[in-house]
Amino acid sequence: MELIKRQKWEKLFTKRDLVFKNECREFYKNLKVSVTWKKEVAKSKVNGVDIEFDGMTLTTILEIPGNSGLCDYIKEEWESFRYSNPLEITRKFANDENILKARRIKLVEMKPFHRFLQLFVMKNLVPRFGKRDITSFMDLTYMDYLLSRRKINLPRVIIRHMEYVINVPNHEMPYGELLTRIFEAFHVPLNYKKGETQKV
């Protein structure tokens, strides 16, 4: 909880919302994302309502900071992260100062708290529902930022992850509860009797 407070994400991760699966499917089906080095813009349509937002719009809707911080989103090449030391991070989370080369880390190599942190990243920051027993370079970098109290620009990361999802066949739909807040902000008609509680 302290790590969440440092990033000022309390309102995002302590409030529970219903999930509207049909609207989520429609959102991702219609989603188009444009990405530049300055910002990302997401456009979609749900229940006849046009939705368009960038990182600063999400900052307002989700009530979290979004004007600075790490927004790199790179799935494979760790060296592309601008503000990380790959070898140092590997040693830290593998709990082994003798490692000579940066690499991905299995959860069984981690201390219990680091495992918890990894699960938080995979379930909340860049959600995925498949294999979770090994980290990605991106996961480790986000974990390092959380522990070292450096800012993560979560609104921009969210949009970049959405763009990744729509380009991967059969990827699960992330951010169900977050999307409910977006739908409400854009006054998308919702049938609250059909809303579901998202599994934790």
Side-chain angles (χ1 to χ4, degrees), residues 3-16:
L3 297 180
I4 294 175
K5 286 182 178 180
R6 289 174 190 166
Q7 297 286 338
K8 299 182 180 179
W9 293 341
E10 302 99 309
K11 291 185 178 180
L12 183 61
F13 294 122
T14 57
K15 178 186 173 185
R16 300 304 307 274

Side-chain angles (χ1 to χ4, degrees), residues 9-20 51 58 60-64 175-188 190 192:
W9 293 341
E10 302 99 309
K11 291 185 178 180
L12 183 61
F13 294 122
T14 57
K15 178 186 173 185
R16 300 304 307 274
D17 290 283
L18 294 175
V19 175
F20 297 87
I51 296 173
L58 280 189
T60 301
I61 293 172
L62 303 179
E63 300 180 83
I64 57 175
Y175 306 122
E177 294 185 41
L178 176 156
L179 283 173
T180 296
R181 302 187 200 185
I182 293 174
F183 298 155
E184 291 174 338
F186 284 90
H187 306 291
V188 174
L190 300 170
Y192 286 88

Side-chain angles (χ1 to χ4, degrees), residues 38 46 57 64 75 82 96 104 118 131 146 162 165:
K38 285 188 176 181
V46 178
T57 308
I64 57 175
K75 297 296 288 186
R82 293 169 290 173
D96 185 351
R104 298 171 73 183
Q118 164 67 353
K131 194 172 183 181
L146 287 170
M162 286 178 170
V165 165

Side-chain angles (χ1 to χ4, degrees), residues 93-137:
F93 291 113
N95 197 28
D96 185 351
E97 291 296 323
N98 297 316
I99 291 175
L100 299 178
K101 183 178 180 181
R103 61 172 173 80
R104 298 171 73 183
I105 301 169
K106 294 181 179 180
L107 261 65
V108 294
E109 298 178 80
M110 293 183 180
K111 295 178 180 179
F113 178 72
H114 291 162
R115 294 180 199 171
F116 169 81
L117 190 60
Q118 164 67 353
L119 290 174
F120 173 80
V121 168
M122 288 194 293
K123 287 185 176 183
N124 296 284
L125 302 197
V126 283
R128 57 184 185 272
F129 305 91
K131 194 172 183 181
R132 292 180 173 178
D133 62 344
I134 190 167
T135 59
S136 71
F137 302 138

